[in-house]
Amino acid sequence: MFVRDLLKQFGTFIYTENQLDDLVLMELELQDLYEYKMIMDEDYLKAKMILSKAKRELEEQK
């Protein structure tokens, strides 16, 4: 997954037992990296779209 690989570049590994919690934590980490200008705008937007889609798909499965 693009988002996990992006976060790994900064030493961030997120694995919990709950997929939705993983997505939320990745979103928070991504926001911090973006606020501190550590990632480019296009990477941030791409990652946000991927996370949004994954969250939607999880919610549809329920």
Side-chain angles (χ1 to χ4, degrees):
M1 175 185 240
F2 172 78
V3 180
R4 286 192 197 275
D5 293 337
L6 181 63
L7 293 175
K8 281 181 191 177
Q9 292 176 12
F10 297 94
T12 302
F13 299 88
I14 297 175
Y15 295 101
T16 65
E17 293 182 14
N18 185 314
Q19 253 185 329
L20 186 57
D21 288 346
D22 284 356
L23 296 174
V24 171
L25 289 172
M26 284 190 275
E27 201 168 38
L28 293 171
E29 286 295 323
L30 186 67
Q31 181 67 37
D32 286 344
L33 290 172
Y34 182 70
E35 285 178 10
Y36 290 109
K37 306 290 185 209
M38 297 179 77
I39 57 175
M40 297 186 319
D41 292 348
E42 64 185 41
D43 288 336
Y44 173 73
L45 293 174
K46 181 178 178 181
K48 286 286 283 185
M49 288 185 345
I50 290 169
L51 291 175
S52 293
K53 181 181 177 189
K55 284 169 66 175
R56 238 186 351 260
E57 289 173 354
L58 276 177
E59 290 171 359
E60 287 174 1
Q61 289 177 359
K62 291 183 179 182

